[in-house]
Amino acid sequence: MNFDYIIVGGGSAGCILADKLSESGKHTVLLIEAGGSDNSLWYKVPIGYAKSYYDPKVNWMFYSEPEPQLNNRNIYCPRGKILGGSGAINAMIYVRGFKNDFADWADNGNPLWTYDKVLPFFKQLETHPDGETEYHGGNGPIKITQMKTGAHPICSHYLNACREIGVEVNDDFNGENPHGGGIYDINVNKGYRSSSNYEFLAKAKGRSNLTVMLDTIVTKINFTGKRASSVNISKEDKTEESITANREVILSTGAVHSPILLQRSGIGPRDVLAKHGIEVIHELNAVGKNLQDHICASLYFEANVKTLNDDLNSLWGKAKTAINYVLFKKGLFALSVNQAGGFFRGNKNLVNPNIQLYFNPLSYQIPKDGSNNLKPEPYSGFLLAFNPCRPTSRGTIEISANDPLAKPIIRPNYLSTINDQNEIIQGTKLMLDIMKTEAMQKITVRQTVPDYQLDTEEKILDYFRDNSGSIYHLCGTCAMGDDVTTSVVDQYLRVHGIENVRVIDASIFPNVTSGNTNATTMMVALRGADLILAEDK
């Protein structure tokens, strides 16, 4: 078999690339996904992501190595193993990042990626309720729902608390100014998840020039000299075959799998490849380095007003919630539990916000036994959580063996800089200031977790070291840039020193964007497809 373009990974980026590269009918396109089909209703219903949190059928369920600054805990790193990738199982918060994030991308040797140059692709991506405006698109595949029309009433107390501490309420975190508290937008369309697999790939699947392979692992990229010629694949029956790429192999397997596939194929740091007996096709030291992620921790509270806990802790409440969704596509099943939040300055001298908050009208503990059973606390409750927007800690990802099914070695290196430790203190103090307001005191019975006061910086850091975890925004491991010692791809997303291989996914972020990363990943795919097609003219 041979195809013009072979796209490895059917996630948020890969589904968009498959649509765009097959759209003209000129080229044959193969999309290869390690996971299975996305046709279960649970992946379409927004609340269904709770069922995929610990489900090995649709989730790679990776863990980091013991993290030195987090008391040597192994941090959970879920990744989608399904058509649609992590975008099929995430919490759907739709945030693009800030203008200065992309200024930094451009300053890293990528002038094609300034905010002004990526904004048209963000607009092309979406259909916003406000229609076509300076900052939004009105006719794109990804449909945006503003949760302010359906958020739980308790969120109004949080917004009043923001006003009390002197922070404006912001109706649009993706507009001119991201600063302030508010209710998040989500990529949901009339009660169903609006992700790239449903909005891009679904319309392309019937094309004769597009082939989609599921439950298929790409074990290696093959080269003639330094030109990619084919990929080896393995299916569930363990049989292997080679498929020829006439034009390009495009990696869209995300921040974990893209660097380890390059390493298995002989592209990466020489010492890593030598350790596993892999022939060096091209030494590229940055492959698997520059790993970045947002890390968060939550505070839990008991409320004296009803929250989503009350709806989900009774049979009648669950029945009402289900009926509301089935009949009207409204309520919790049609939304994210991460309803309110915003972007704040932990230090008043900062120009841009450096702390992202989440206010959830639901309190739940993530099971520590790995069971797929996220239950609400047995009382009316809510939680506040935060993560620093632009951490300065950097980690690594590398293969543990020359085996496509071997677990990767993930070392995020969280809190390894003084800056990141200071921002943890800033973010926690911000949450505590919000909780001291009249608006929040009025509805709060007590803080339940932790069951002690975080009244010193030492206690704050200790709590964070014991209880923080990833918010699942891994990126940067095939960074884009013009310096071959610190980057993996150029601004056209071509792997340095190699012909016919590109990487198009969140691994190319030179720096993590401020906020949730899925919208930016989809933008990267649209921009990447445009760059590929421009070369074809």
Side-chain angles (χ1 to χ4, degrees), residues 304-340:
N304 57 25
V305 296
K306 288 187 180 299
T307 69
L308 290 174
N309 292 31
D310 299 275
D311 294 330
L312 297 178
N313 276 327
S314 73
L315 288 175
W316 174 234
K318 290 177 183 177
K320 284 197 303 181
T321 302
I323 290 169
N324 194 25
Y325 179 77
V326 170
L327 295 181
F328 306 109
K329 297 299 182 286
K330 291 183 178 180
L332 174 60
F333 281 21
L335 302 173
S336 173
V337 296
N338 302 324
Q339 294 186 358

Side-chain angles (χ1 to χ4, degrees), residues 480-502:
M480 174 173 58
D482 60 356
D483 184 345
V484 297
T485 66
T486 59
S487 65
V488 176
V489 300
D490 64 15
Q491 66 174 339
Y492 295 94
L493 310 181
R494 302 172 299 201
V495 175
H496 293 308
I498 291 292
E499 293 182 62
N500 294 355
V501 180
R502 296 191 209 230

Side-chain angles (χ1 to χ4, degrees), residues 9 53 92 107 200 218 278 293 295 382 450:
Y53 192 78
M92 299 154 292
D107 290 344
F200 283 89
V218 174
I278 297 172
D293 189 18
I295 188 172
F382 62 89

Side-chain angles (χ1 to χ4, degrees), residues 7 17 68 106 137-138 163 183 205 208 210 252 339 341 359 384 399 406 413 415 425 455 462 482 495 515 517 523 532:
I7 303 165
L17 290 164
R163 296 183 181 100
I183 308 293
K205 277 184 176 177
S208 60
L210 173 63
S252 297
Q339 294 186 358
F359 175 82
L384 265 175
I399 54 175
N413 212 18
L415 296 192
I425 294 168
D455 48 13
D462 284 346
D482 60 356
V495 175
T517 53
M523 178 278 292
I532 293 170

Side-chain angles (χ1 to χ4, degrees), residues 334-388:
L335 302 173
S336 173
V337 296
N338 302 324
Q339 294 186 358
F343 296 93
F344 300 78
R345 298 182 182 96
N347 181 328
K348 292 182 180 178
N349 296 323
L350 293 173
V351 174
N352 295 296
N354 68 326
I355 302 294
Q356 181 178 10
L357 281 191
Y358 295 91
F359 175 82
N360 291 11
L362 173 73
S363 63
Y364 57 93
Q365 294 284 346
I366 294 172
K368 297 189 186 303
D369 61 359
S371 64
N372 204 25
N373 190 18
L374 280 67
K375 285 187 175 180
E377 300 283 11
Y379 50 77
S380 302
F382 62 89
L383 65 82
L384 265 175
F386 82 96
N387 64 259

Side-chain angles (χ1 to χ4, degrees), residues 42-43 47-55 58 372 374:
W42 281 116
Y43 309 129
I47 198 62
Y49 74 86
K51 296 183 72 66
S52 62
Y53 192 78
Y54 281 123
D55 185 352
V58 299
N372 204 25
L374 280 67

Side-chain angles (χ1 to χ4, degrees), residues 142-383:
I142 300 296
K143 311 303 188 297
I144 307 304
T145 291
Q146 296 172 306
M147 281 197 293
K148 62 185 179 182
T149 60
H152 193 280
I154 198 175
C155 292
S156 64
H157 294 274
Y158 164 78
L159 298 180
N160 287 336
C162 291
R163 296 183 181 100
E164 281 190 56
I165 65 170
V167 175
E168 67 267 26
V169 170
N170 189 341
D171 275 343
D172 186 4
F173 297 128
N174 297 315
E176 170 66 25
N177 177 18
H179 182 250
I183 308 293
Y184 287 115
D185 291 349
I186 51 177
N187 48 293
V188 167
N189 180 26
K190 298 178 181 177
Y192 292 107
R193 181 185 291 270
S194 181
S195 51
S196 63
N197 47 322
Y198 297 133
E199 308 294 8
F200 283 89
L201 185 62
K203 68 181 179 181
K205 277 184 176 177
R207 295 173 187 157
S208 60
N209 62 323
L210 173 63
T211 300
V212 179
M213 285 186 180
L214 301 180
D215 301 306
T216 304
I217 301 284
V218 174
T219 61
K220 184 183 177 185
I221 307 167
N222 300 308
F223 293 89
T224 302
K226 293 196 176 184
R227 181 186 182 89
S229 55
S230 63
V231 299
N232 290 351
I233 64 168
S234 174
K235 293 183 176 290
E236 289 180 306
D237 61 5
K238 308 301 182 185
T239 58
E240 287 211 17
E241 63 178 296
S242 180
I243 302 176
T244 299
N246 300 328
R247 286 177 172 264
E248 293 189 18
V249 175
I250 303 166
L251 305 192
S252 297
T253 51
V256 175
H257 282 101
S258 285
I260 63 175
L261 178 53
L262 286 175
Q263 291 172 8
R264 286 203 313 272
S265 304
I267 302 169
R270 184 175 293 274
D271 60 335
V272 172
L273 305 186
K275 191 188 312 181
H276 302 290
I278 297 172
E279 178 190 358
V280 177
I281 301 298
H282 182 65
E283 184 174 6
L284 199 54
N285 284 325
V287 173
K289 297 179 181 174
N290 193 49
L291 173 63
Q292 298 161 64
D293 189 18
H294 290 137
I295 188 172
C296 72
S298 303
L299 303 182
Y300 296 75
F301 302 89
E302 182 179 355
N304 57 25
V305 296
K306 288 187 180 299
T307 69
L308 290 174
N309 292 31
D310 299 275
D311 294 330
L312 297 178
N313 276 327
S314 73
L315 288 175
W316 174 234
K318 290 177 183 177
K320 284 197 303 181
T321 302
I323 290 169
N324 194 25
Y325 179 77
V326 170
L327 295 181
F328 306 109
K329 297 299 182 286
K330 291 183 178 180
L332 174 60
F333 281 21
L335 302 173
S336 173
V337 296
N338 302 324
Q339 294 186 358
F343 296 93
F344 300 78
R345 298 182 182 96
N347 181 328
K348 292 182 180 178
N349 296 323
L350 293 173
V351 174
N352 295 296
N354 68 326
I355 302 294
Q356 181 178 10
L357 281 191
Y358 295 91
F359 175 82
N360 291 11
L362 173 73
S363 63
Y364 57 93
Q365 294 284 346
I366 294 172
K368 297 189 186 303
D369 61 359
S371 64
N372 204 25
N373 190 18
L374 280 67
K375 285 187 175 180
E377 300 283 11
Y379 50 77
S380 302
F382 62 89
L383 65 82

Side-chain angles (χ1 to χ4, degrees), residues 414-431:
Y414 297 118
L415 296 192
S416 58
T417 67
I418 296 298
N419 173 83
D420 291 0
Q421 294 173 24
N422 287 338
E423 290 191 330
I424 294 310
I425 294 168
Q426 291 175 15
T428 304
K429 288 182 175 179
L430 171 64
M431 291 197 297

